[in-house]
Amino acid sequence: MRAAVIVFPGSNCDRDMAVGLRAAGADVSMVWHKDADLPADIDLVAIPGGFSFGDYLRCGAIAAQSPICKAVVAHAQRGGYVLGVCNGFQVLTETGLLPGALMRNAELKFICKTVDLKVETSNSAYTQGYNAGDVVGFPVAHHDGNYTADQETLARLEDDARVAFRYSVNPNGSINDIAGILSENRRVLGMMPHPERAVDDGHGGTDGQALFRGLVGQLATA
């Protein structure tokens, strides 16, 4: 399975993402934001966390205009898989690959801690390594993680079981405690918590391993 990790000025979780994917068996390429094309035969594009372009304008807004994001959108439209974590989730909403927006945290404070998440569905490549109802611990580190969407969009997400993860205790004000959502074809996942920071015993927890192993395993046999 071949994966590409996109690197923007201000990305700070790109190496963590690559390490998590490689540990699960993926062949990973690092791709600079000014590149116009993805490497050939890429199965998964991962957009990591960080503060792309200093979070100026809106978080992810400038990154979404980078040359490589046109290739990422085309990859997704062809049915390719895309994972966006934290700032990557923000980029995915700015490109229109996922609905809604990430607003300032309800208490207007940066949050950095491990939180409990409920796995809402196992029906995706990203969550098949868990059972629906499982509770996992992933770190969060964000100032703009408050997910919001209009009522029609929210109803579609809930009715189609496209909420992948939900906060057990809401840290940021996200509507319906949403921590991560899937696209209509379930091949694009955006989430604020960091599974790549929970893949090694040194991280204090390994609950993220199942996400990467399940994803790599499914794409390797697809």
Side-chain angles (χ1 to χ4, degrees):
M1 193 279 270
R2 299 194 65 199
V5 175
I6 309 301
V7 183
F8 298 100
S11 295
N12 64 13
C13 295
D14 43 323
R15 181 182 179 276
D16 306 75
M17 183 69 76
V19 167
L21 285 165
R22 285 172 178 146
D27 177 9
V28 180
S29 300
M30 310 301 285
V31 179
W32 185 233
H33 72 111
K34 286 190 176 181
D35 292 347
D37 299 300
L38 293 166
D41 300 322
I42 286 294
D43 302 295
L44 169 75
V45 177
I47 306 179
F51 305 92
S52 59
F53 295 93
D55 279 349
Y56 291 114
L57 188 60
R58 293 185 308 275
C59 298
I62 299 176
Q65 302 304 312
S66 292
I68 196 60
C69 278
K70 293 181 180 178
V72 174
V73 170
H75 171 79
Q77 291 175 339
R78 291 192 299 269
Y81 288 79
V82 183
L83 169 63
V85 174
C86 197
N87 190 218
F89 187 7
Q90 295 161 346
V91 172
L92 291 178
T93 61
E94 290 288 343
T95 61
L97 288 176
L98 289 174
L102 284 308
M103 308 296 288
R104 289 287 171 89
N105 295 341
E107 295 186 3
L108 304 182
K109 294 180 180 179
F110 187 86
I111 300 169
C112 185
K113 62 181 181 180
T114 296
V115 299
D116 286 340
L117 306 172
K118 181 183 177 183
V119 180
E120 288 293 314
T121 177
S122 60
N123 181 23
S124 78
Y126 304 95
T127 57
Q128 64 173 348
Y130 307 102
N131 294 313
D134 283 353
V135 176
V136 296
F138 292 165
V140 293
H142 58 252
H143 195 274
D144 296 69
N146 182 351
Y147 182 77
T148 187
D150 60 56
Q151 288 302 310
E152 181 180 349
T153 297
L154 186 63
R156 286 200 306 269
L157 292 174
E158 297 287 2
D159 292 346
D160 296 341
R162 288 167 51 197
V163 176
F165 297 98
R166 212 181 296 270
Y167 297 108
S168 296
V169 177
N170 194 325
N172 54 29
S174 286
I175 193 167
N176 285 19
D177 303 324
I178 289 173
I181 61 171
L182 294 157
S183 62
E184 289 185 11
N185 67 0
R186 313 185 80 79
R187 295 190 173 198
V188 180
L189 170 67
M191 58 186 300
M192 288 308 296
H194 291 266
E196 80 283 3
R197 294 185 181 180
V199 297
D200 186 274
D201 289 333
H203 292 157
T206 58
D207 285 348
Q209 287 182 355
L211 185 150
F212 292 108
R213 287 176 178 169
L215 177 61
V216 171
Q218 176 161 321
L219 296 189
T221 58

